[in-house]
Amino acid sequence: MRSSWRLFLLLAIGLALLPAPAAAQDGEPTDDEVNAIARGLYCPVCENVPLDVCPTQACAQWRAIIRQMLAEGRTEQEIKDYFVVQYGERVLAAPPAEGFNLLVYLIPPAAFLAGAFMLARIIRRWTRPASSAAGAPATASDDPYVERLEQELRRRA
Amino acid sequence: MVANIGYFSLVLAFVVALYGAGAGAYGALRNRPAFVESARHALLLTWPLVTVAALAIITLLVRGDYEVAFVASVTSNTMPVYLRITALWGGQAGSLVFWSWLMAAFASAVGLRKWDRDRDLLPWVVVTTMVTLAFFLSLVVFFENPFARLWLSPQGEQLTALFQPAGASPIFPSDGQGLNPLLRHPGMVIHPPMLYLGFVSFVIPYAFAIGALATGRSDDRWTQITRRWTLVAWLFLSLGLILGGRWAYDVLGWGGYWGWDPVEVAALLPWLVGTPFLHSVIIQEKRGILKQWNMALIILTYSSVILATFLTRSGVFSSVHAFAQSAIGPMFFGFIGVTFVASVGLLIWRWDRLAGENHLESMFSREALFLLQNILFLAIYVICLWGVLFPLISELFTGEKVTVGPPYFERASGPIWGALLLLMGVAPLSAYGARSGRSLARSLWKILAVSLIVPVVIAARGMTHPVPLIGFWLAGFVTLVTAYEFGRGALARRRSQGESLSLALWRLIGRNRRRYGGYVIHIGVVLMGLGVIGIELFQAETQGTLAQGEQLTLGRYVMTYDSLAQWDAADGRNITRASVSVYRDGRRVAELHPRRDYYYASQQPMTIPGVRSTLEDDFYVLLVGWEPIAAEGATFKIYHNPLVNFVWLGGLVFILGTLVAAWPERDPEAARVAARGPAVSLRGLAG
Amino acid sequence: MEAMTQDTPSSPPTASPVRRPRWGVVVVWVSLFGLLALLGTGLIRSQQGPINVGSRIPDFSLTTFDGQTYNTADLRGQVILINFWASWCEPCEEEAAELEQAYQGYRDRGVVFLGVNYVDTQPEALAYLDRFGITYANGPDLGTEISQAFRMRGVPETYIVDRQGILVSRKIGPYSSVSEIEAALEAAIGMAP
């Protein structure tokens, strides 16, 4: 019985010592904290304007909402989710990687790999192996003129 | 009167351009040289005609003839003369005329060159340039007429038309709306012209490429002729983009210079494919390979130019850059369809003729590394194109609008930019033809080892984040390689020619302008890279509301709010200007004046930052315009941007490098001989 | 001399030159026409105006600030007035009082007023409703789905729908007077049931 009380006390002290999010402790969130979150969001009305620099009155209202939610202790993810529910997915700076939007992140690497693969096949068909190259092996010459001369001679061969 | 003259001049230019295209095509297909020469004359006639129209618009703008709708929309009584002239490109109609004027000018420059050689390419160059010119003129003549006047219909509606509609009466406004305040900035004065110069000048290499495809030629003449054009086009495009960034940095008030806005990215696309093109034509000239590849690249460049112009002007996107929605969208779409299909069709038709003369002999040869660079640039191109198109695709298939913004672009392309930087260091040390990986490594490892000093020193001084360390290391590596190239060449010359070192260096550069000019440009890229690393990875910001006398701290800097002044300026704006003192490590280093301008006519506010710029960093202060500004309390936003001025410095070095690379030889024939190296003169001797 | 400086093809290489691969041609044409189709559709969309009078409106459901839900599909048989507004929209204020007045006059005649609050913040929206004494149903356009379905370009916009769900009149911008609203409502009520 007593040991479990001690354990409980230890736990309570430990929890009290855990750093709590600054916003919840200090009260009023700073402009910087609001801006840090607003940077990752876009103005729902004006296209392609980030929320921290948008000058319209509506955007000022949205920043006020962020401030209020921070004061309530919400996390960045919760605030972003709230904005998505309220205003749609376009308020996020990049689409969430789910559903149809997965294509944003998958197509470029897929296209690149496909292109690289095709190019590799073409080059392999096209490349003559270096060992059968006509002429003497290249002597690493310092003089660019001599080198160019050799290249020209090789070309003419 | 002036407006009517201007409009008819445009109509004439349109007709002449169409004739030129038709006569050129007919002359080429039926082998009638007379028609080809007539087409060339038509081409030369277009420029004076479009100049008359442009001068007409400028006259109307400067005079302030507000009954002309375009003038009323972009000028106002309080605008100074120089701004009225630049208002030519401040609106859709005027900027289309400006585009056309540049196109006609460049076409004429090409039309005036000596055409005794390569006469078979002439008709197709005329056709391509004149079709492009005719298209842009058609937009102005039929849809966005800068000379249309304002009329009041009997029903009380405001109409715009060139000639008086039935029953309508003319309107003579006493003042215009004025240019958008965001556009009244020196950067905005040069950014569009520079960008249009870049776009338009890429039409010329494309025209020659089409000529080569149409005539079925498989040689390098088209790349040789257009070599300088491409270089200068590349410079204009790069400067246009950099100036746009500078404008955004100075005026848009978010402490940055590139927001990955869809219209910005669209304008970047031609650069992303023009830069690899610039490099791979060298390979074509030296090794006779990659001919199909280069054709594809220049077609893609031209197509990207038209695509970017379409996306900016059609209203498909809305952004700070875009023009208002307009009827020219469908016309653009038709033109894109026709030109894309025609270019691709031509290339596929002539594909086999463009087979290379040599082979890629080693994956470590210079050709292979250039090809790798090309592929990496195209990867970034695909990333950017996809990012621009995806919102359209998403809306089409799911109905959901999404934003594809900086996190996508930066994370996807970041590592590729780094790889390109690495290549810039490796490629100069490579050689053409059969080379083993080992020989490349042998040339590399010493410089690589020395370059590692840079990250080690930086890390020792306390900065240990891996990404910027790699960035700085790469910058150091490329600088070392470039310096080594200059040094090695100069020393070899000194040894063989017995010249002093500085003379050797001068002659070296003079004899190999393209190569060493290119190296200078690479240094410019390194400088820009430094600036980008500084501002992207190390930017700090803070915001706070201060009463007079209070201060805000950011890192080593402290800023005090000293005073506020407010007054009405002569050009129709109300200025609220704060004075702040900036202290660094306790020492006062600057007094800055961020201000907010409010333009009465357009009811638009604009915040101009106060900036302290040094090579090391920028201290950038903004008055937050949408909060109240008073002595009792004003909200300030401060950005600390390390190394950002290297970005602009890099741009200046681009100019220097391009001047070196493109500087004409005294005797063109001798230059062509010299460029091929001494082997050619020996060849000549051998007969 | 000229001929010598031109590129002369070397002897026929042992490996075959890059023949034009059929699948490559197919991929290129498919992507090209795909791109054109995409741009064309995007262009058509951007050129599309608002919903035309005489066509059916897209059905939607609106949950008011009080928690009640209205489904336009369930409201068949009644005339509906749909008004898009926002607290930060100055022109909206010009018609706010007139809309409430019209509502008071027509609520007993089976006309439903739905106010759709476009990208707004709840405290400011409720304050706006309070200020103009608006009593008809108002709710937020969550995820901007409703405004997107109506291809709304700006606020305020008002759509009046007859008993079959067909658009009878639309107003882009604020109404200038109560009589204008009443005339539009009368026209909708007068349509055959």
Side-chain angles (χ1 to χ4, degrees):
Chain A
M1 197 60 166
R2 201 170 294 161
S3 58
S4 61
W5 267 115
R6 228 178 280 152
L7 200 60
F8 179 75
L9 202 59
L10 266 172
L11 196 61
I13 297 173
L15 281 174
L17 289 175
L18 275 178
Q25 274 185 341
D26 293 272
E28 188 71 15
T30 64
D31 283 352
D32 289 345
E33 287 167 342
V34 172
N35 280 336
I37 298 189
R39 270 183 119 173
L41 291 171
Y42 274 76
C43 170
V45 178
C46 4
E47 282 185 42
N48 296 305
V49 177
L51 193 55
D52 61 329
V53 295
C54 175
T56 63
Q57 183 198 336
C59 290
Q61 288 176 9
W62 287 310
R63 284 188 294 268
I65 293 260
I66 295 178
R67 189 184 299 266
Q68 187 189 323
M69 290 180 81
L70 276 176
E72 288 168 13
R74 309 278 185 148
T75 66
E76 181 173 343
Q77 190 55 47
E78 285 175 335
I79 297 177
K80 286 193 168 159
D81 290 341
Y82 173 79
F83 267 76
V84 169
V85 165
Q86 285 287 315
Y87 309 114
E89 278 184 357
R90 69 181 185 285
V91 296
L92 294 175
E98 53 194 32
F100 187 77
N101 294 327
L102 267 173
L103 285 177
V104 185
Y105 305 101
L106 293 181
I107 294 285
F112 181 66
L113 287 173
F117 176 68
M118 288 191 291
L119 209 61
R121 270 184 53 191
I122 294 173
I123 291 179
R124 210 170 300 139
R125 239 187 294 153
W126 189 35
T127 304
R128 203 194 309 169
S131 55
S132 65
T139 49
S141 171
D142 264 282
D143 194 327
Y145 290 98
V146 177
E147 209 160 68
R148 251 211 296 275
L149 185 60
E150 288 189 350
Q151 280 177 26
E152 288 290 324
L153 290 174
R154 255 203 305 281
R155 268 184 86 176
R156 309 303 293 166
Chain B
M1 189 58 197
V2 174
N4 292 349
I5 294 175
Y7 185 71
F8 282 116
S9 200
L10 280 179
V11 173
L12 264 176
F14 172 64
V15 170
V16 167
L18 277 181
Y19 169 75
Y26 181 76
L29 293 170
R30 296 271 183 220
N31 200 10
R32 305 280 297 270
F35 273 92
V36 175
E37 188 60 16
S38 172
R40 191 176 77 96
H41 290 150
L43 178 152
L44 292 174
L45 189 54
T46 56
W47 188 68
L49 288 172
V50 182
T51 307
V52 167
L55 285 176
I57 303 181
I58 293 180
T59 311
L60 294 172
L61 288 169
V62 171
R63 274 199 332 210
D65 285 3
Y66 299 120
E67 71 266 18
V68 175
F70 179 68
V71 176
S73 69
V74 295
T75 56
S76 62
N77 289 334
T78 53
M79 276 171 60
V81 173
Y82 85 91
L83 219 47
R84 286 164 166 272
I85 299 177
T86 63
L88 174 66
W89 50 85
Q92 176 88 279
S95 81
L96 285 172
V97 172
F98 184 59
W99 220 104
S100 308
W101 182 75
L102 287 173
M103 184 75 251
F106 283 0
S108 300
V110 171
L112 285 172
R113 67 181 288 276
K114 271 209 307 234
W115 277 102
D116 29 341
R117 285 182 71 181
D118 314 299
R119 193 88 188 166
D120 49 342
L121 291 178
L122 173 61
W124 300 110
V125 171
V126 173
V127 167
T128 314
T129 50
M130 288 300 100
V131 164
T132 310
L133 179 63
F135 168 69
F136 278 89
L137 285 174
S138 71
L139 296 178
V140 179
V141 165
F142 297 112
F143 295 97
E144 292 278 338
N145 187 354
F147 298 109
R149 296 184 180 83
L150 292 167
W151 309 92
L152 196 59
S153 79
Q155 293 83 28
E157 247 186 273
Q158 197 178 71
L159 309 164
T160 50
L162 185 65
F163 297 111
Q164 192 161 9
S169 45
I171 305 177
F172 296 96
S174 54
D175 199 357
Q177 288 165 20
L179 197 60
N180 185 328
L182 289 175
L183 305 182
R184 303 189 199 196
H185 175 266
M188 204 48 201
V189 168
I190 335 176
H191 158 58
M194 199 58 73
L195 209 56
Y196 296 169
L197 275 170
F199 287 166
V200 171
S201 43
F202 265 113
V203 177
I204 305 298
Y206 170 77
F208 277 91
I210 293 296
L213 285 175
T215 54
R217 288 169 67 151
S218 62
D219 58 272
D220 287 346
R221 280 302 288 163
W222 73 273
T223 58
Q224 283 177 18
I225 297 172
T226 55
R227 206 218 296 165
R228 282 206 176 78
W229 279 106
T230 310
L231 198 49
V232 172
W234 179 88
L235 176 68
F236 285 145
L237 195 52
S238 310
L239 288 180
L241 291 166
I242 295 174
L243 281 167
R246 181 70 206 233
W247 168 67
Y249 187 73
D250 280 351
V251 149
L252 289 185
W254 36 273
Y257 54 90
W258 188 265
W260 295 105
D261 182 287
V263 168
E264 273 175 359
V265 178
L268 183 62
L269 291 175
W271 187 90
L272 286 173
V273 71
T275 309
F277 173 71
L278 196 63
H279 288 82
S280 59
V281 286
I282 300 175
I283 300 296
Q284 178 172 341
E285 279 180 37
K286 288 275 196 304
R287 300 285 291 164
I289 56 175
L290 297 183
K291 297 187 190 187
Q292 295 133 331
W293 183 259
N294 286 327
M295 282 294 182
L297 285 180
I298 189 62
I299 290 175
L300 196 55
T301 310
Y302 175 82
S303 307
S304 304
V305 165
I306 303 295
L307 184 68
T309 324
F310 165 73
L311 289 174
T312 319
R313 296 171 183 272
S314 64
V316 172
F317 289 116
S318 115
S319 94
V320 64
H321 294 92
F323 292 92
Q325 189 177 56
S326 135
I328 64 176
M331 286 284 287
F332 250 109
F333 179 72
F335 187 67
I336 287 181
V338 166
T339 50
F340 284 22
V341 169
S343 319
V344 172
L346 266 175
L347 178 59
I348 290 180
W349 177 41
R350 295 298 198 193
W351 187 261
D352 293 336
R353 289 209 192 192
L354 295 170
E357 298 153 16
N358 282 311
H359 295 264
L360 200 66
E361 288 171 34
S362 153
M363 292 309 285
F364 299 99
S365 60
R366 185 169 289 193
E367 307 91 284
L369 291 178
F370 269 52
L371 191 57
L372 181 60
Q373 178 243 42
N374 274 210
I375 294 170
L376 289 177
F377 264 110
L378 285 179
I380 303 182
Y381 182 89
V382 166
I383 289 171
C384 289
L385 183 64
W386 184 244
V388 163
L389 293 179
F390 189 78
L392 289 174
I393 296 175
S394 167
E395 208 183 328
L396 186 66
F397 283 94
T398 67
E400 182 79 47
K401 281 195 204 169
V402 292
T403 308
V404 179
Y408 164 79
F409 289 104
E410 288 170 0
R411 264 178 240 153
S413 65
I416 308 182
W417 294 114
L420 281 169
L421 207 55
L422 178 63
L423 267 181
M424 258 187 3
V426 173
L429 297 173
S430 65
Y432 290 104
R435 277 282 181 279
S436 70
R438 198 170 302 159
S439 71
L440 183 61
R442 224 182 308 140
S443 330
L444 259 182
W445 77 267
K446 282 191 203 135
I447 303 187
L448 211 63
V450 170
S451 68
L452 284 172
I453 295 178
V454 172
V456 163
V457 165
I458 296 179
R461 292 184 61 184
M463 206 285 296
T464 54
H465 295 122
V467 172
L469 272 180
I470 295 176
F472 287 128
W473 163 61
L474 288 173
F477 174 59
V478 175
T479 313
L480 279 173
V481 169
T482 315
Y484 172 70
E485 282 291 298
F486 275 101
R488 169 167 89 152
L491 286 170
R493 256 197 94 88
R494 187 173 74 163
R495 211 178 320 124
S496 65
Q497 314 283 82
E499 295 162 344
S500 69
L501 192 59
S502 39
L503 189 61
L505 192 61
W506 179 258
R507 291 261 170 84
L508 177 75
I509 298 175
R511 289 295 173 98
N512 298 282
R513 292 171 209 206
R514 181 166 72 176
R515 171 186 252 201
Y516 289 95
Y519 286 154
V520 173
I521 296 179
H522 282 184
I523 294 293
V525 174
V526 167
L527 291 174
M528 281 194 71
L530 286 176
V532 168
I533 294 174
I535 188 174
E536 294 296 328
L537 300 176
F538 295 102
Q539 185 184 52
E541 65 175 84
T542 188
Q543 180 176 321
T545 308
L546 302 177
Q548 218 164 318
E550 289 184 342
Q551 51 182 234
L552 205 53
T553 310
L554 181 62
R556 296 157 74 173
Y557 289 91
V558 172
M559 182 197 85
T560 328
Y561 176 20
D562 293 338
S563 65
L564 188 69
Q566 194 168 33
W567 71 96
D568 277 339
D571 51 1
R573 55 185 160 132
N574 175 271
I575 302 182
T576 312
R577 197 179 83 156
S579 294
V580 301
S581 301
V582 181
Y583 298 83
R584 189 174 122 137
D585 301 329
R587 237 185 67 245
R588 188 184 150 122
V589 289
E591 183 179 304
L592 300 175
H593 302 283
R595 60 176 214 267
R596 187 194 65 185
D597 294 350
Y598 180 77
Y599 287 82
Y600 289 114
S602 47
Q603 292 182 1
Q604 221 171 332
M606 216 166 96
T607 49
I608 315 283
V611 187
R612 173 187 175 262
S613 293
T614 63
L615 214 53
E616 189 190 334
D617 60 19
D618 260 11
F619 188 81
Y620 183 106
V621 182
L622 276 170
L623 265 177
V624 172
W626 56 85
E627 300 281 352
I629 303 176
E632 303 78 49
T635 314
F636 293 92
K637 190 158 185 183
I638 311 178
Y639 289 96
H640 179 239
N641 298 325
L643 301 179
V644 68
N645 291 300
F646 279 96
V647 175
W648 323 123
L649 190 59
L652 289 175
V653 175
F654 279 6
I655 301 177
L656 179 64
T658 310
L659 276 174
V660 172
W663 199 264
E665 322 287 342
R666 243 165 290 133
D667 177 356
E669 193 55 42
R672 231 173 293 148
V673 169
R676 295 267 175 164
V680 173
S681 21
L682 288 177
R683 225 193 299 163
L685 287 176
Chain C
M1 192 60 185
E2 279 309 342
M4 304 205 77
T5 51
Q6 291 257 0
D7 276 334
T8 50
S10 52
S11 50
T14 45
S16 64
V18 185
R19 276 276 131 70
R20 128 185 133 203
R22 176 144 307 162
W23 51 263
V25 175
V26 169
V27 164
V28 165
W29 285 120
V30 165
S31 3
L32 186 57
F33 282 107
L35 175 69
L36 288 175
L38 178 68
L39 292 176
T41 327
L43 191 62
I44 294 174
R45 243 170 211 263
S46 71
Q47 304 269 355
Q48 244 177 359
I51 301 185
N52 283 319
V53 169
S55 41
R56 187 168 289 279
I57 57 149
D59 280 324
F60 61 90
S61 78
L62 181 73
T63 308
T64 67
F65 293 112
D66 310 320
Q68 274 189 289
T69 308
Y70 291 81
N71 282 309
T72 55
D74 300 336
L75 290 171
R76 287 277 181 280
Q78 288 184 283
V79 170
I80 318 175
L81 181 143
I82 305 164
N83 172 254
F84 290 91
W85 63 278
S87 67
W88 40 263
C89 153
E90 281 186 32
C92 303
E93 297 177 3
E94 290 170 27
E95 62 171 11
E98 279 80 0
L99 280 168
E100 174 63 18
Q101 202 179 331
Y103 173 63
Q104 294 299 336
Y106 280 82
R107 61 190 297 184
D108 301 322
R109 294 177 61 179
V111 177
V112 179
F113 273 55
L114 291 177
V116 180
N117 187 220
Y118 176 67
V119 292
D120 211 342
T121 44
Q122 192 155 329
E124 280 75 14
L126 293 173
Y128 178 96
L129 294 173
D130 234 6
R131 201 165 108 213
F132 293 98
I134 296 180
T135 56
Y136 55 82
N138 276 278
D141 179 14
L142 288 179
T144 64
E145 286 179 13
I146 308 174
S147 46
Q148 271 180 254
F150 275 78
R151 302 198 291 273
M152 203 198 72
R153 278 293 154 98
V155 276
E157 281 183 15
T158 312
Y159 296 84
I160 299 185
V161 182
D162 72 3
R163 300 174 215 277
Q164 275 82 22
I166 306 290
L167 185 67
V168 171
S169 90
R170 66 163 192 251
K171 177 75 180 176
I172 312 293
Y175 282 110
S176 43
S177 62
V178 184
S179 37
E180 194 182 343
I181 310 176
E182 289 173 345
L185 285 172
E186 287 295 339
I189 294 172
M191 305 288 270

